[in-house]
Amino acid sequence: MEPVVEEQQRRPWVVGVSGASGTPYAAAVLRGLLAAGESVDLVVSRASRLTLLDETGIAFRDAHWREDLATWLARGADGKPGTFAPQIDDVRYWAAGDLAAGPSSGSYPVKGMLIVPASTASVAGVALGLSKDLLQRAASVTLKERRPLVVAVRETPLNGQTLKHLVALDEAGAVVLPASPAFYAGATHIQDLVDFVAGRVLDAAGVPHRLYRRWEGELGGAAAPRGD
């Protein structure tokens, strides 16, 4: 009998974009994943389309998602078009209302899921297991399959109910990562602050990147010239 040779299986990261303000964070995470050679399955919630339109002027359309995604990821955090030139060949898009999509099942092979940015509504939906759309369902599947889930919550201030939901996610095994930029890395541009948060999301997922200057235990190190 011939030995069974398994083909290398695509195992993407699911990236869920919810309706919270912070679409530049999502764009930076997507660029970072693609630059690291990772495959991506993208879910853009209905509410996030309104936020994306408001923050960038881009209307994200199911029928033209590839064109709209390329335009979005090429834009800098300051809104300037053509700042980046990402390759999006290994992105697969799933409509938020498609509950029969691949990521809705635990048998669909993925590495984990990143929700960037995560609204309080999406946090509540995942914590309570509501599965109202594909983003919530994919996150619930990620938790039940014990895969990495990073929730980059973007809201302030946080009320008690949301804090309880975040604690529930932490107890379920998710990484709760507030979208809080740091300044020790020597940020001189809004993109630097965005990239810091995106880099921390990728750190939590174990994906290598060079999005920000890491702390090396030296005060004033951020003022030194970068070697890259």
Side-chain angles (χ1 to χ4, degrees):
M1 180 181 293
E2 292 290 332
V4 176
V5 179
E6 293 186 3
E7 295 183 5
Q8 187 173 2
Q9 195 171 41
R10 181 179 181 272
R11 293 185 65 234
W13 284 96
V14 179
V15 176
V17 186
S18 81
S21 176
T23 55
Y25 292 131
V29 166
L30 288 165
R31 287 192 298 264
L33 288 169
L34 296 172
E38 299 286 347
S39 302
V40 172
D41 275 24
L42 178 63
V43 181
V44 179
S45 77
R46 292 176 180 174
S48 70
R49 295 172 188 239
L50 298 176
T51 307
L52 184 63
L53 180 63
D54 184 53
E55 294 184 344
T56 69
I58 297 171
F60 197 91
R61 303 160 295 175
D62 285 347
H64 303 279
W65 71 266
R66 190 171 292 277
E67 174 188 345
D68 297 336
L69 178 64
T71 301
W72 176 27
L73 297 192
R75 193 176 298 253
D78 59 359
K80 183 179 179 180
T83 302
F84 302 98
Q87 299 296 318
I88 63 170
D89 294 339
D90 204 3
V91 178
R92 185 172 186 180
Y93 171 73
W94 301 96
D98 185 4
L99 291 178
S104 68
S105 172
S107 66
Y108 183 77
V110 303
K111 291 184 177 180
M113 182 172 182
L114 316 174
I115 305 178
V116 188
S119 65
T120 54
S122 64
V123 165
V126 177
L128 297 175
L130 298 182
S131 295
K132 285 189 173 181
D133 62 8
L134 180 59
L135 189 153
Q136 293 182 16
R137 172 59 185 169
S140 296
V141 168
T142 300
L143 289 176
K144 81 178 183 68
E145 296 294 329
R146 302 297 191 266
R147 295 167 180 159
L149 173 64
V150 182
V151 179
V153 61
R154 218 306 306 162
E155 184 61 271
T156 189
L158 296 171
N159 64 28
Q161 199 61 46
T162 298
L163 291 170
K164 290 177 183 177
H165 291 152
L166 292 173
V167 169
L169 290 179
D170 175 78
E171 291 176 344
V175 175
V176 175
L177 196 152
S180 301
F183 295 86
Y184 63 77
T188 59
H189 191 277
I190 187 174
Q191 189 66 54
D192 298 328
L193 298 175
V194 168
D195 284 347
F196 180 88
V197 172
R200 295 298 288 153
V201 171
L202 296 178
D203 286 345
V207 176
H209 66 87
R210 300 182 68 184
L211 287 177
Y212 69 88
R213 182 193 297 272
R214 297 185 182 277
W215 176 252
E216 295 179 350
E218 179 183 354
L219 292 175
R226 297 187 66 166
D228 53 8

